[in-house]
Amino acid sequence: KVTKSQDGLSITHGGKEINGKNSEYSPFLSADNKEIYFAALVGNDIIEVNDKPKAEDGKTGNIGSAGGGGDKGGEGEGDKAKIDLGLKKDDEGGGEPFSKIYKSSKSEKGWGKPTALDENVNRVDFFNVNNSISPDGKRMFFNRELVDGHILKEAKIFMSEGKDGSWAAGNELKGVNGN
């Protein structure tokens, strides 16, 4: 147990189907408690963040991936280190999102296997994260984050409208994203 129950609150494991091998975060439970949306990293690499003080040459500690790219284990090029979060490029130069938003439905047997939302929400080369759904279940709000190495270049809020179990293409919210 991670923590003990308090004042009518109980914490239970979601089950083997919903919990994967990668980090899952930003869960959002639907108003009827029958669907859960969450974000999860796509890659199979372990992300290692090294908290190193600045060296005499002024370079900072490294951020890298311990298995598949970037600076392995924090030894190397200081502030030039890149983080590899599992972006997969195909022969045409396309790839996958760094993280995706998933949906799982609950039945009498528990939570089902999550499925990634389609490209209307999960865009290539972005972290698609921090999802929430309007109380009427018709609108999803989420972030698309653009990262260059270990530097966040852009994080914007998008909104998608849902109908018949699918979500329309996300539109950037105007007036709240610094524009």
Side-chain angles (χ1 to χ4, degrees):
K1 259 185 163 176
V2 175
T3 188
K4 64 180 182 174
S5 298
Q6 300 178 18
D7 302 326
L9 173 71
S10 64
I11 299 171
T12 57
H13 190 282
K16 293 179 182 178
E17 287 294 322
I18 195 168
N19 289 298
K21 63 182 177 177
N22 295 329
S23 295
E24 291 116 356
Y25 48 96
S26 302
F28 187 87
L29 189 62
S30 65
D32 64 5
N33 295 325
K34 293 182 180 178
E35 296 177 332
I36 190 168
Y37 292 83
F38 60 92
L41 295 175
V42 173
N44 291 319
D45 295 335
I46 297 170
I47 301 166
E48 183 176 299
V49 178
N50 296 310
D51 187 20
K52 289 186 175 182
K54 285 191 175 185
E56 289 178 18
D57 63 2
K59 292 184 178 180
T60 60
N62 302 324
I63 295 177
S65 169
D71 180 7
K72 297 184 187 216
E75 298 176 19
E77 299 186 31
D79 59 356
K80 294 182 183 177
K82 298 284 183 176
I83 188 165
D84 176 0
L85 294 175
L87 179 67
K88 296 170 179 54
K89 298 284 185 184
D90 61 25
D91 292 337
E92 268 97 73
E96 283 190 39
F98 289 107
S99 66
K100 293 181 181 180
I101 297 173
Y102 291 81
K103 173 185 157 185
S104 177
S105 298
K106 192 172 188 179
S107 70
E108 308 81 45
K109 295 180 182 180
W111 291 105
K113 185 175 180 175
T115 56
L117 301 184
D118 67 19
E119 65 278 352
N120 284 336
V121 173
N122 290 315
R123 290 288 169 95
V124 171
D125 296 339
F126 285 89
F127 286 93
N128 304 282
V129 296
N130 302 327
N131 50 286
S132 64
I133 298 177
S134 63
D136 63 7
K138 294 180 180 179
R139 290 174 302 285
M140 175 187 293
F141 298 88
F142 60 96
N143 288 107
R144 283 192 183 133
E145 299 174 353
L146 181 61
V147 177
D148 181 14
H150 61 279
I151 299 171
L152 178 64
K153 294 288 189 176
E154 178 179 283
K156 295 194 175 185
I157 301 171
F158 285 76
M159 190 266 301
S160 175
E161 295 188 86
K163 184 177 178 184
D164 300 326
S166 65
W167 294 97
N171 293 304
E172 180 183 335
L173 289 184
K174 301 294 182 189
V176 297
N177 286 318
N179 50 9

